[in-house]
Amino acid sequence: MAVFEMRNARKAFGLLEVLKGVSLKVEKGEVVSIIGPSGGGKSTMLRCATLLETMDSGTLAYGENVAAREENGKSVYAGKAALAQVRRQFGLVFQQFDLFPHYTVLKNVCDAPISVQKRDRAEVEAEAMALLDKMGLKGKENAYPYQLSGGQQRVAIARALAMKPEILFFDEPTSALDPLLTGEVLRVIRSLADEHMTMVIVTHEMPFARAVSDRVVFLDGGVIVEQGSPEQV
Ligand code: ADP
Ligand code: MG
């Protein structure tokens, strides 16, 4: 069963049709890159996938959990409890990392697993330390985000991974970074790909998309114009 499936998603903002029937299915362990011109609907698609926006029509499911089904040409969303379950299945990393500035790095990573997932603090902290190490941020756990010269995006990735998502979405994770920091973040994402983390990555980094992806999807004008192996697309 697919980890993630969106079918025939449509979304308009007023008269502007941004998604015109987008379908995407992601299997366990797959890495899918989404590329395409600015304004093509990539962020809107990710925002619909991660329940930050509602689709006008189309269906959305994570494994067996249905977030939205379609009835009379309209998306009908599941109830609060079912959507809460769905939210546990994905993680999201934005261009702007949105760390809490008044929390230490460790607290940024551990806060949701402890206070939302109600997991054991000691266990979560131990896992967080291992994640920070993996992100190349060993020894930074007690720093505040502003004290990291760069590296915030890697904290954001650690924070998303701490929730143990089944699939991780990235929306242009490097577009706010300089080349050096971009390289570090891309290396981290590549190491996750090597471990077969299921990921959907919106990116402008074409050589990276080619190297890391099983599939590349080209989204333009609210439709998937082409998709296939990196060589094909
Ligand atoms: P991309 O991420 O591919 O650059 P977006 O999904 O951000 O594209 O935007 C697609 C189109 O939808 C753009 O024309 C954008 O201005 C418009 N748009 C996105 N979000 C909103 C919104 N909340 N309200 C109105 N228009 C929006
Ligand atoms: Mg965008």
Side-chain angles (χ1 to χ4, degrees):
M1 177 174 276
V3 174
F4 167 80
E5 186 167 13
M6 173 183 261
R7 280 170 71 177
N8 226 355
R10 289 178 176 272
K11 175 71 178 176
F13 295 108
L15 293 176
L16 181 67
E17 268 194 283
V18 176
L19 299 180
K20 301 174 184 168
V22 171
S23 299
L24 181 70
K25 188 170 169 178
V26 182
E27 302 292 339
K28 192 172 166 58
E30 248 193 318
V31 178
V32 178
S33 288
I34 302 179
I35 60 172
S38 179
K42 303 181 296 298
S43 292
T44 303
M45 182 187 170
L46 245 55
R47 290 175 61 80
C48 287
T50 55
L51 305 174
L52 296 172
E53 292 282 0
T54 54
M55 303 175 294
D56 299 328
S57 65
T59 67
L60 180 65
Y62 285 83
E64 293 179 337
N65 295 317
V66 175
R69 59 194 169 79
E70 196 171 278
E71 212 174 274
N72 302 323
K74 283 195 167 35
S75 296
V76 178
Y77 280 80
K80 219 173 154 182
L83 290 183
Q85 174 57 39
V86 164
R87 283 195 179 87
R88 282 196 275 276
Q89 291 179 264
F90 62 77
L92 177 59
V93 175
F94 299 95
Q95 178 182 335
Q96 302 302 346
F97 359 94
D98 289 328
L99 299 174
F100 290 118
H102 56 297
Y103 283 3
T104 63
V105 164
L106 187 65
K107 189 162 181 190
N108 266 286
V109 175
C110 295
D111 190 53
I114 292 170
S115 58
V116 181
Q117 291 183 330
K118 311 287 182 206
R119 291 179 49 213
D120 177 68
R121 174 179 296 273
E123 187 186 302
V124 169
E125 287 186 351
E127 284 175 13
M129 295 297 276
L131 277 171
L132 290 171
D133 190 8
K134 191 166 151 184
M135 299 294 129
L137 294 168
K138 200 181 172 82
K140 302 288 188 198
E141 59 275 9
N142 294 318
Y144 287 88
Y146 76 90
Q147 294 174 310
L148 301 178
S149 53
Q152 285 103 322
Q153 187 60 295
R154 284 173 288 147
V155 177
I157 296 172
R159 176 181 57 181
L161 290 170
M163 302 289 278
K164 300 181 190 279
E166 279 158 41
I167 180 170
L168 197 49
F169 294 90
F170 293 86
D171 192 356
E172 302 196 26
T174 61
S175 58
L177 304 178
D178 68 30
L180 181 68
L181 295 175
T182 294
E184 287 171 355
V185 168
L186 295 183
R187 263 195 299 284
V188 161
I189 298 174
R190 190 187 285 231
S191 75
L192 295 174
D194 290 341
E195 294 167 15
H196 306 292
M197 178 79 208
T198 311
M199 295 186 283
V200 175
I201 309 163
V202 172
T203 184
H204 285 128
E205 304 280 342
M206 299 302 284
F208 169 74
R210 167 186 272 269
V212 84
S213 313
D214 299 304
R215 183 150 49 103
V216 176
V217 171
F218 186 74
L219 184 67
D220 186 11
V223 292
I224 292 178
V225 178
E226 204 182 340
Q227 64 175 309
S229 67
E231 293 74 31
Q232 286 172 312
V233 179

Short mmCIF file of all heavy atoms in Angstrom, two decimals, residues 32-73:
data_model
loop_
_atom_site.label_atom_id
_atom_site.label_comp_id
_atom_site.label_asym_id
_atom_site.label_seq_id
_atom_site.Cartn_x
_atom_site.Cartn_y
_atom_site.Cartn_z
N VAL A 32 10.86 11.21 -4.15
CA VAL A 32 10.28 11.89 -5.30
C VAL A 32 10.64 13.36 -5.24
O VAL A 32 10.43 14.01 -4.21
CB VAL A 32 8.73 11.73 -5.30
CG1 VAL A 32 8.11 12.48 -6.47
CG2 VAL A 32 8.35 10.26 -5.34
N SER A 33 11.20 13.88 -6.30
CA SER A 33 11.45 15.33 -6.37
C SER A 33 10.36 15.98 -7.20
O SER A 33 9.93 15.41 -8.21
CB SER A 33 12.80 15.62 -7.03
OG SER A 33 13.83 15.28 -6.15
N ILE A 34 9.95 17.15 -6.77
CA ILE A 34 8.99 17.93 -7.55
C ILE A 34 9.69 19.20 -8.01
O ILE A 34 10.23 19.96 -7.20
CB ILE A 34 7.73 18.28 -6.72
CG1 ILE A 34 7.07 17.00 -6.22
CG2 ILE A 34 6.76 19.12 -7.55
CD1 ILE A 34 5.84 17.22 -5.37
N ILE A 35 9.73 19.37 -9.31
CA ILE A 35 10.38 20.54 -9.89
C ILE A 35 9.36 21.29 -10.74
O ILE A 35 8.27 20.78 -11.00
CB ILE A 35 11.60 20.12 -10.75
CG1 ILE A 35 11.17 19.21 -11.89
CG2 ILE A 35 12.66 19.42 -9.88
CD1 ILE A 35 12.27 18.91 -12.90
N GLY A 36 9.74 22.46 -11.17
CA GLY A 36 8.84 23.23 -12.03
C GLY A 36 8.97 24.72 -11.74
O GLY A 36 9.51 25.11 -10.71
N PRO A 37 8.43 25.55 -12.66
CA PRO A 37 8.60 26.99 -12.51
C PRO A 37 7.87 27.54 -11.29
O PRO A 37 6.90 26.94 -10.82
CB PRO A 37 8.01 27.56 -13.80
CG PRO A 37 7.12 26.50 -14.32
CD PRO A 37 7.69 25.20 -13.86
N SER A 38 8.35 28.66 -10.82
CA SER A 38 7.73 29.37 -9.71
C SER A 38 6.29 29.69 -10.06
O SER A 38 5.98 30.08 -11.19
CB SER A 38 8.54 30.64 -9.46
OG SER A 38 7.96 31.36 -8.43
N GLY A 39 5.39 29.50 -9.10
CA GLY A 39 3.97 29.78 -9.34
C GLY A 39 3.23 28.60 -9.94
O GLY A 39 2.02 28.68 -10.17
N GLY A 40 3.93 27.49 -10.14
CA GLY A 40 3.31 26.32 -10.77
C GLY A 40 2.40 25.52 -9.86
O GLY A 40 1.68 24.63 -10.32
N GLY A 41 2.47 25.80 -8.55
CA GLY A 41 1.57 25.10 -7.62
C GLY A 41 2.26 24.11 -6.69
O GLY A 41 1.60 23.38 -5.96
N LYS A 42 3.59 24.10 -6.69
CA LYS A 42 4.32 23.11 -5.90
C LYS A 42 4.03 23.26 -4.40
O LYS A 42 3.73 22.28 -3.72
CB LYS A 42 5.84 23.23 -6.15
CG LYS A 42 6.22 23.08 -7.62
CD LYS A 42 7.72 23.17 -7.84
CE LYS A 42 8.34 24.52 -7.48
NZ LYS A 42 7.83 25.65 -8.29
N SER A 43 4.16 24.49 -3.91
CA SER A 43 3.92 24.69 -2.47
C SER A 43 2.47 24.41 -2.11
O SER A 43 2.19 23.82 -1.06
CB SER A 43 4.28 26.12 -2.06
OG SER A 43 5.67 26.32 -2.16
N THR A 44 1.56 24.82 -2.98
CA THR A 44 0.14 24.58 -2.71
C THR A 44 -0.13 23.07 -2.63
O THR A 44 -0.86 22.60 -1.76
CB THR A 44 -0.73 25.23 -3.79
OG1 THR A 44 -0.42 26.64 -3.83
CG2 THR A 44 -2.20 25.05 -3.52
N MET A 45 0.50 22.34 -3.52
CA MET A 45 0.33 20.89 -3.50
C MET A 45 0.82 20.31 -2.17
O MET A 45 0.14 19.50 -1.53
CB MET A 45 1.11 20.29 -4.66
CG MET A 45 0.96 18.80 -4.75
SD MET A 45 2.08 18.18 -6.00
CE MET A 45 1.88 16.43 -5.65
N LEU A 46 2.01 20.75 -1.73
CA LEU A 46 2.56 20.27 -0.46
C LEU A 46 1.70 20.72 0.72
O LEU A 46 1.52 19.98 1.68
CB LEU A 46 4.00 20.77 -0.27
CG LEU A 46 5.07 19.70 -0.26
CD1 LEU A 46 5.00 18.84 -1.50
CD2 LEU A 46 6.46 20.29 -0.13
N ARG A 47 1.19 21.93 0.63
CA ARG A 47 0.34 22.43 1.72
C ARG A 47 -0.99 21.65 1.79
O ARG A 47 -1.49 21.41 2.88
CB ARG A 47 0.08 23.93 1.55
CG ARG A 47 1.36 24.76 1.81
CD ARG A 47 1.14 26.25 1.55
NE ARG A 47 0.10 26.80 2.41
CZ ARG A 47 0.30 27.16 3.69
NH1 ARG A 47 1.48 27.04 4.23
NH2 ARG A 47 -0.70 27.63 4.40
N CYS A 48 -1.50 21.24 0.64
CA CYS A 48 -2.71 20.40 0.64
C CYS A 48 -2.36 19.01 1.18
O CYS A 48 -3.11 18.43 1.96
CB CYS A 48 -3.29 20.28 -0.76
SG CYS A 48 -4.12 21.78 -1.33
N ALA A 49 -1.20 18.50 0.78
CA ALA A 49 -0.78 17.17 1.23
C ALA A 49 -0.61 17.12 2.74
O ALA A 49 -0.84 16.09 3.36
CB ALA A 49 0.52 16.77 0.54
N THR A 50 -0.18 18.24 3.34
CA THR A 50 0.13 18.25 4.76
C THR A 50 -0.96 18.98 5.57
O THR A 50 -0.71 19.41 6.70
CB THR A 50 1.50 18.89 5.01
OG1 THR A 50 1.52 20.19 4.41
CG2 THR A 50 2.61 18.06 4.39
N LEU A 51 -2.13 19.11 4.98
CA LEU A 51 -3.32 19.61 5.68
C LEU A 51 -3.21 21.06 6.13
O LEU A 51 -3.92 21.50 7.03
CB LEU A 51 -3.67 18.71 6.88
CG LEU A 51 -3.87 17.23 6.55
CD1 LEU A 51 -4.06 16.43 7.85
CD2 LEU A 51 -5.08 17.02 5.65
N LEU A 52 -2.29 21.81 5.51
CA LEU A 52 -2.21 23.25 5.80
C LEU A 52 -3.21 24.02 4.93
O LEU A 52 -3.55 25.15 5.22
CB LEU A 52 -0.79 23.77 5.56
CG LEU A 52 0.27 23.19 6.49
CD1 LEU A 52 1.66 23.62 6.04
CD2 LEU A 52 0.03 23.60 7.93
N GLU A 53 -3.61 23.38 3.83
CA GLU A 53 -4.68 23.91 2.99
C GLU A 53 -5.65 22.76 2.74
O GLU A 53 -5.25 21.60 2.78
CB GLU A 53 -4.15 24.34 1.60
CG GLU A 53 -3.25 25.55 1.59
CD GLU A 53 -3.99 26.86 1.72
OE1 GLU A 53 -5.24 26.85 1.82
OE2 GLU A 53 -3.30 27.90 1.74
N THR A 54 -6.89 23.10 2.46
CA THR A 54 -7.84 22.05 2.08
C THR A 54 -8.00 22.06 0.56
O THR A 54 -8.01 23.12 -0.06
CB THR A 54 -9.22 22.29 2.75
OG1 THR A 54 -9.64 23.62 2.44
CG2 THR A 54 -9.13 22.12 4.25
N MET A 55 -8.14 20.89 0.01
CA MET A 55 -8.41 20.78 -1.42
C MET A 55 -9.88 21.11 -1.66
O MET A 55 -10.72 20.89 -0.79
CB MET A 55 -8.17 19.34 -1.90
CG MET A 55 -6.78 18.80 -1.62
SD MET A 55 -6.62 17.05 -2.09
CE MET A 55 -7.75 16.25 -0.94
N ASP A 56 -10.19 21.62 -2.85
CA ASP A 56 -11.59 21.80 -3.21
C ASP A 56 -12.19 20.46 -3.61
O ASP A 56 -13.29 20.11 -3.23
CB ASP A 56 -11.72 22.79 -4.38
CG ASP A 56 -11.16 24.16 -4.02
OD1 ASP A 56 -11.26 24.54 -2.83
OD2 ASP A 56 -10.62 24.83 -4.92
N SER A 57 -11.42 19.72 -4.41
CA SER A 57 -11.84 18.35 -4.73
C SER A 57 -10.61 17.48 -4.83
O SER A 57 -9.48 17.97 -4.90
CB SER A 57 -12.66 18.31 -6.02
OG SER A 57 -11.87 18.69 -7.12
N GLY A 58 -10.86 16.17 -4.79
CA GLY A 58 -9.76 15.22 -4.81
C GLY A 58 -9.70 14.47 -3.49
O GLY A 58 -10.35 14.85 -2.52
N THR A 59 -8.89 13.40 -3.48
CA THR A 59 -8.78 12.56 -2.28
C THR A 59 -7.35 12.57 -1.78
O THR A 59 -6.41 12.86 -2.53
CB THR A 59 -9.19 11.10 -2.58
OG1 THR A 59 -8.21 10.53 -3.47
CG2 THR A 59 -10.57 11.03 -3.22
N LEU A 60 -7.22 12.24 -0.49
CA LEU A 60 -5.91 12.26 0.16
C LEU A 60 -5.86 11.15 1.19
O LEU A 60 -6.77 11.03 2.02
CB LEU A 60 -5.72 13.63 0.83
CG LEU A 60 -4.42 13.90 1.57
CD1 LEU A 60 -3.25 13.91 0.59
CD2 LEU A 60 -4.50 15.25 2.29
N ALA A 61 -4.81 10.32 1.11
CA ALA A 61 -4.70 9.24 2.08
C ALA A 61 -3.25 8.97 2.43
O ALA A 61 -2.34 9.15 1.61
CB ALA A 61 -5.34 7.96 1.53
N TYR A 62 -3.02 8.59 3.67
CA TYR A 62 -1.71 8.13 4.14
C TYR A 62 -1.89 6.68 4.57
O TYR A 62 -2.55 6.41 5.57
CB TYR A 62 -1.24 8.98 5.33
CG TYR A 62 -0.76 10.34 4.91
CD1 TYR A 62 -1.64 11.38 4.69
CD2 TYR A 62 0.60 10.57 4.69
CE1 TYR A 62 -1.20 12.63 4.29
CE2 TYR A 62 1.06 11.82 4.29
CZ TYR A 62 0.15 12.84 4.09
OH TYR A 62 0.60 14.07 3.68
N GLY A 63 -1.33 5.75 3.80
CA GLY A 63 -1.54 4.34 4.08
C GLY A 63 -3.03 4.08 4.12
O GLY A 63 -3.76 4.48 3.21
N GLU A 64 -3.47 3.43 5.19
CA GLU A 64 -4.91 3.10 5.31
C GLU A 64 -5.74 4.29 5.78
O GLU A 64 -6.96 4.22 5.78
CB GLU A 64 -5.09 1.98 6.34
CG GLU A 64 -4.49 0.67 5.91
CD GLU A 64 -4.67 -0.40 6.97
OE1 GLU A 64 -4.85 -0.04 8.16
OE2 GLU A 64 -4.63 -1.58 6.61
N ASN A 65 -5.07 5.32 6.21
CA ASN A 65 -5.81 6.44 6.80
C ASN A 65 -6.22 7.46 5.75
O ASN A 65 -5.38 8.08 5.11
CB ASN A 65 -4.99 7.12 7.89
CG ASN A 65 -4.73 6.19 9.05
OD1 ASN A 65 -5.63 5.47 9.48
ND2 ASN A 65 -3.51 6.16 9.54
N VAL A 66 -7.51 7.60 5.61
CA VAL A 66 -8.05 8.53 4.62
C VAL A 66 -8.23 9.90 5.27
O VAL A 66 -8.91 10.04 6.28
CB VAL A 66 -9.40 8.01 4.09
CG1 VAL A 66 -10.03 9.03 3.15
CG2 VAL A 66 -9.21 6.68 3.37
N ALA A 67 -7.56 10.90 4.69
CA ALA A 67 -7.71 12.26 5.20
C ALA A 67 -8.89 12.95 4.52
O ALA A 67 -9.63 13.70 5.14
CB ALA A 67 -6.43 13.06 4.96
N ALA A 68 -9.03 12.69 3.22
CA ALA A 68 -10.15 13.30 2.49
C ALA A 68 -10.62 12.35 1.39
O ALA A 68 -9.81 11.74 0.70
CB ALA A 68 -9.71 14.63 1.87
N ARG A 69 -11.94 12.22 1.30
CA ARG A 69 -12.51 11.45 0.20
C ARG A 69 -13.31 12.44 -0.63
O ARG A 69 -13.42 13.61 -0.27
CB ARG A 69 -13.39 10.32 0.74
CG ARG A 69 -14.52 10.82 1.60
CD ARG A 69 -15.17 9.70 2.40
NE ARG A 69 -16.05 10.28 3.39
CZ ARG A 69 -17.26 10.75 3.14
NH1 ARG A 69 -17.77 10.68 1.91
NH2 ARG A 69 -17.99 11.31 4.08
N GLU A 70 -13.82 11.95 -1.76
CA GLU A 70 -14.54 12.87 -2.62
C GLU A 70 -16.02 12.50 -2.67
O GLU A 70 -16.38 11.33 -2.74
CB GLU A 70 -13.93 12.84 -4.03
CG GLU A 70 -14.38 14.03 -4.86
CD GLU A 70 -13.61 14.12 -6.17
OE1 GLU A 70 -12.49 14.65 -6.16
OE2 GLU A 70 -14.14 13.66 -7.19
N GLU A 71 -16.84 13.50 -2.56
CA GLU A 71 -18.28 13.28 -2.63
C GLU A 71 -18.91 14.40 -3.45
O GLU A 71 -18.68 15.58 -3.15
CB GLU A 71 -18.84 13.29 -1.20
CG GLU A 71 -20.03 12.36 -1.01
CD GLU A 71 -20.44 12.31 0.46
OE1 GLU A 71 -19.86 11.51 1.22
OE2 GLU A 71 -21.33 13.11 0.84
N ASN A 72 -19.66 14.04 -4.46
CA ASN A 72 -20.28 15.02 -5.36
C ASN A 72 -19.28 16.07 -5.86
O ASN A 72 -19.57 17.26 -5.86
CB ASN A 72 -21.46 15.73 -4.68
CG ASN A 72 -22.51 14.75 -4.20
OD1 ASN A 72 -22.77 13.75 -4.88
ND2 ASN A 72 -23.09 15.01 -3.05
N GLY A 73 -18.09 15.57 -6.20
CA GLY A 73 -17.09 16.48 -6.77
C GLY A 73 -16.43 17.40 -5.76
O GLY A 73 -15.75 18.35 -6.15
#
